[in-house]
Amino acid sequence: MKKKIIVFAIVLILFISLYYANKIMVASYPYVREIKENSLTDNVKDYKTTQSEHFIVRYTMPDEKYVSLVLEIAEKHYDSVTKDLDYKPLGKTVIIMYHDPEKMNTDFSLAKGDTAMGLYLNGVISIVSPELWISPTEDLEKVFEHDGPIVHEFAHLVVDDIARGNYPVWFTEGIALLEEYRENGFVWGEGVTGDKPYSLKELTYNFNQLDETLAYKRSFEIVKAISDKYGMQSIRDILKYLGRGLSLSESFYKVTGQDLEKFIDSVK
């Protein structure tokens, strides 16, 4: 009997420790992120700075001609994205514009050989100079707004703020792609088909090992299905529960009364 009591006590202690560990994580997250954010901006302390009402752009001289465009597009979508997710970031959001993609990859710890048009990490958005991916024959403003990373990465920042870092990658990617769709009509992976839609388990634990296009497409489909069935308010409420330390499955059930895994399996 004594042994059973000891075992029960150990299990109870472990359960309580795990429960409060997540609570402590979300409570301390903003402070930890601020330290990491300062480290990122220190990497570009020699860059020039221009700001608008809600954004600060850090850049080098070759990209000075694009600063007004970056700020214009960011400000244009600020109100609608923050309204969609019912949250406005405290202070101004830093956008670092890199003319050297390798430096961006190094500063933001992207694996060597990987490329990205934009990244979000620790409260900071980074983008590659439009000069490096938009042809001189194209409509610069139109292409940058529709195909560029501003809306996507800003949505990541808002999600991160609300959920305090407590979310699986696929969920924030799905929300960012949903915002691109709502803002610009951009549909990720349109026309692309796969043999079998990814499951909750695959998306949660193996996202970076999955086919990138199909994984992002599946994430978008699931988040869009949530908003279509339960409204954007459901997304907002789920994020708020995540910010209190609940898991995504727990948050989804709190908001919808449904099992997340079964809901995902029903999304075709």
Side-chain angles (χ1 to χ4, degrees):
M1 178 64 71
K2 186 176 180 180
K3 186 177 180 180
K4 288 183 178 180
I5 293 174
I6 293 173
V7 171
F8 175 77
I10 292 172
V11 171
L12 182 61
I13 290 170
L14 287 173
F15 176 80
I16 293 173
S17 298
L18 288 172
Y19 177 81
Y20 282 103
N22 219 35
K23 301 289 184 182
I24 294 170
M25 187 275 287
V26 296
S28 61
Y29 182 74
Y31 307 102
V32 174
R33 196 185 77 172
E34 184 178 1
I35 294 171
K36 295 179 179 179
E37 178 179 342
N38 291 335
S39 177
L40 287 173
T41 54
D42 280 346
N43 290 328
V44 293
K45 59 186 176 183
D46 296 329
Y47 280 32
K48 293 174 68 65
T49 300
T50 300
Q51 54 188 295
S52 60
E53 183 179 358
H54 300 109
F55 296 91
I56 298 171
V57 176
R58 308 290 295 273
Y59 60 95
T60 54
M61 282 303 296
D63 291 323
E64 188 169 30
K65 55 184 172 291
Y66 300 114
V67 172
S68 60
L69 173 63
V70 172
L71 289 173
E72 177 189 342
I73 299 304
E75 290 291 352
K76 180 178 178 179
H77 294 279
Y78 178 87
D79 283 340
S80 48
V81 172
T82 55
K83 182 178 179 181
D84 258 2
L85 300 177
D86 192 29
Y87 177 86
K88 292 186 177 183
L90 299 175
K92 297 185 180 185
T93 296
V94 175
I95 301 173
I96 304 173
M97 181 161 39
Y98 286 91
H99 205 80
D100 179 359
E102 285 302 317
K103 176 170 173 51
M104 184 180 84
N105 291 355
T106 300
D107 289 352
F108 281 70
S109 304
L110 197 65
K112 190 172 183 179
D114 286 351
T115 56
M117 192 184 299
L119 293 168
Y120 166 76
L121 182 68
N122 296 324
V124 179
I125 292 170
S126 72
I127 63 171
V128 171
S129 168
E131 185 173 296
L132 303 182
W133 61 274
I134 300 179
S135 166
T137 60
E138 296 180 288
D139 185 322
L140 175 66
E141 185 171 342
K142 183 177 180 180
V143 173
F144 184 74
E145 180 175 12
H146 185 267
D147 300 336
I150 295 295
V151 170
H152 188 97
E153 305 308 332
F154 181 58
H156 278 320
L157 182 144
V158 174
V159 167
D160 194 38
D161 267 10
I162 302 170
R164 293 173 172 252
N166 181 35
Y167 49 82
V169 174
W170 75 263
F171 190 59
T172 185
E173 292 297 350
I175 293 175
L177 291 170
L178 178 63
E179 284 305 303
E180 284 194 84
Y181 171 74
R182 290 170 67 87
E183 291 295 299
N184 299 321
F186 179 82
V187 179
W188 177 272
E190 190 171 23
V192 176
T193 58
D195 295 334
K196 179 179 178 292
Y198 293 127
S199 66
L200 173 61
K201 184 176 180 180
E202 289 173 311
L203 290 170
T204 302
Y205 298 107
N206 299 304
F207 188 83
N208 292 326
Q209 285 72 52
L210 304 176
D211 179 278
E212 182 179 36
T213 300
L214 295 179
Y216 276 66
K217 177 180 171 65
R218 182 63 170 159
S219 301
F220 168 64
E221 290 171 343
I222 293 168
V223 174
K224 185 174 183 298
I226 295 172
S227 69
D228 286 346
K229 184 169 184 178
Y230 300 106
M232 277 303 295
Q233 187 60 47
S234 67
I235 303 294
R236 300 175 195 130
D237 291 340
I238 288 169
L239 288 173
K240 289 172 184 175
Y241 279 118
L242 289 171
R244 297 175 190 173
L246 276 67
S247 70
L248 180 57
S249 293
E250 291 170 332
S251 301
F252 183 81
Y253 184 80
K254 280 270 191 183
V255 173
T256 68
Q258 303 298 315
D259 180 84
L260 178 59
E261 186 170 12
K262 289 181 180 177
F263 177 82
I264 288 176
D265 289 343
S266 72
V267 177
K268 304 300 182 184

